[in-house]
Amino acid sequence: MKAILFDVPGSPEVLRYGDAPEPVPGPDELLVQVRATAVNRADLLQRRGAYAPPPGASPILGLELAGEVLTPVGEWRAGDRIMAVVTGGGYAERAVVPVGMAMRIPDTLSFEEAAALPEAFLTAFLNLFTLGKLQAGETVLIHAGASGVGTAAIQLARVAGARVFTTAGSAEKLALCRELGAELAINYREESFAKRVLEATDGRGVDLLLDFVGAPYWQQNTAALALDGRLQLIGFLGGSSGQIDLGPILAKRLHVNGTTLRRTPLPQKIALTADFVAFAHNRLARGELRPVIDTIYPLHEAAEAHRVMEANRNAGKLVLRVERDAETSPQGAQDHAAK
């Protein structure tokens, strides 16, 4: 099969389109013909050699996919359209998916739209509800609101009845956040997000905060949280170390939690997937929730998609369309999807 491969860690230029062994499914796994996948920050880290795949995972990049079942198992039949989070292997023509991780694609969604969903929406759902315990009427601050996870989290929090605040770094991204349901959208490049949050909440702060930045935001994050507030650490785009003041944790009785979806044990991911499907499938089918896609690339242009994400130029997901003979396909031009 064709896949995106690299021989040594490095810049996007190390990625190449070549031949790889076809995966062999286990007794509780589906073999899937991949029709689309999407780019995540973890893919960039793995390409650089900074994020090794978990034991037993495919060394091929790609943490999510959408495609058709090839080998029927359990309730799934050949030809069923599914989307799923995987621990690796999405940047390829075929991949294996644990049966419990497969989610049926609503008829209203294309493969490209479905591929933009699993990692972003499951990560957002995990941090908002499973771990973050967000309730209707509470207020949440979501950093990187125009990212894949950010756009998913804004929508999920909105339909759950929460007040949604967010940060982003450009007027275009702030407008997207408002369109998705953010009540307050703050340009972190131009002003203190903690000050704006406290002004908007009459000094109380937010109940929950989703952070992708890490150490540089610690002081403002703790200032922006309310008494008994919850801080969910999802990433460290700004770095994971630095001098921090732990005092607010005690003074405000703050709860700080960190998680990565990829290394969550499979039984917990299966339970998370079931909870998400129960909450979101019908809403996705009705259009109440939607994936936000910046650009669709053919699979062999994965390196360009990596460059765009590294430059933080995307608003929403970067999707890779998987096609037969993609190297010579006329689909070489980018397809710009509506934001």
Side-chain angles (χ1 to χ4, degrees):
M1 68 175 183
K2 296 296 186 182
I4 296 296
L5 309 168
F6 64 98
D7 300 311
V8 294
S11 66
E13 283 66 36
V14 304
L15 298 178
R16 61 182 177 84
Y17 181 74
D19 294 313
E22 183 166 315
V24 178
D28 294 318
E29 292 181 323
L30 303 169
L31 181 63
V32 177
Q33 184 74 43
V34 181
R35 297 301 185 187
T37 182
V39 179
N40 289 280
R41 292 279 175 184
D43 301 335
L44 276 58
L45 293 173
Q46 184 174 332
R47 190 205 70 229
R48 297 178 199 140
Y51 190 21
S58 170
I60 297 173
L61 299 176
L63 300 181
E64 59 192 329
L65 58 82
E68 297 163 308
V69 173
L70 293 174
T71 56
V73 177
E75 68 176 283
W76 300 104
R77 297 291 178 262
D80 284 349
R81 299 192 330 137
I82 69 160
M83 55 186 175
V85 164
V86 290
T87 55
Y91 289 21
E93 289 184 319
R94 286 174 288 282
V96 294
V97 174
V99 171
M101 295 298 296
M103 298 179 284
R104 197 173 299 278
I105 300 175
D107 293 339
T108 53
L109 297 181
S110 67
F111 284 121
E112 291 81 5
E113 290 170 321
L117 276 161
E119 180 73 18
F121 274 82
L122 284 179
T123 297
F125 192 89
L126 172 67
N127 284 278
L128 286 171
F129 306 121
T130 308
L131 300 176
K133 308 298 182 185
L134 184 66
Q135 301 293 318
E138 289 190 321
T139 305
V140 58
L141 173 61
I142 300 164
H143 288 312
S147 67
V149 177
T151 55
I154 289 170
Q155 296 178 75
L156 289 168
R158 171 181 54 79
V159 300
R163 294 182 70 192
V164 183
F165 300 166
T166 190
T167 63
S170 71
E172 178 186 27
K173 290 181 178 182
L174 293 171
L176 173 62
C177 293
R178 294 188 191 97
E179 176 191 337
L180 295 173
E183 173 185 333
L184 176 66
I186 306 162
N187 190 327
Y188 67 86
R189 300 181 188 275
E190 298 178 352
E191 57 186 330
S192 163
F193 66 79
K195 181 179 178 181
R196 288 291 307 279
V197 164
L198 292 173
E199 289 173 350
T201 58
D202 296 324
R204 179 180 179 276
V206 297
D207 301 287
L208 177 64
L209 194 155
L210 271 54
D211 180 37
F212 306 80
V213 178
Y217 274 12
W218 178 264
Q219 184 174 346
Q220 284 202 75
N221 281 345
T222 55
L225 281 164
L227 193 67
D228 294 315
R230 291 99 65 194
L231 172 60
Q232 287 294 131
L233 287 172
I234 304 173
F236 300 113
L237 294 177
S240 60
S241 62
Q243 186 172 355
I244 61 174
D245 179 9
L246 298 176
I249 295 179
L250 297 182
K252 289 186 172 183
R253 303 194 301 267
L254 301 181
H255 304 258
V256 181
N257 192 24
T259 186
T260 60
L261 181 59
R262 189 180 195 183
R263 297 189 182 278
T264 299
L266 181 59
Q268 294 179 30
K269 286 196 286 190
I270 290 174
L272 171 67
T273 299
D275 289 343
F276 172 74
V277 169
F279 179 90
H281 186 274
N282 290 340
R283 290 183 167 98
L284 287 165
R286 295 193 297 264
E288 296 172 20
L289 298 170
R290 64 179 177 89
V292 178
I293 297 175
D294 183 285
T295 309
I296 300 171
Y297 299 88
L299 179 63
H300 71 273
E301 291 188 11
E304 176 60 21
H306 276 225
R307 283 189 282 268
V308 169
M309 180 169 282
E310 285 189 328
N312 201 31
R313 299 203 305 266
N314 59 297
K317 297 285 287 189
L318 299 171
V319 171
L320 303 176
R321 179 187 289 122
V322 181
E323 298 171 322
R324 297 285 187 178
D325 301 320
E327 198 166 31
T328 57
S329 166
Q331 290 289 341
Q334 300 173 12
D335 296 324
H336 293 274
K339 295 179 181 177

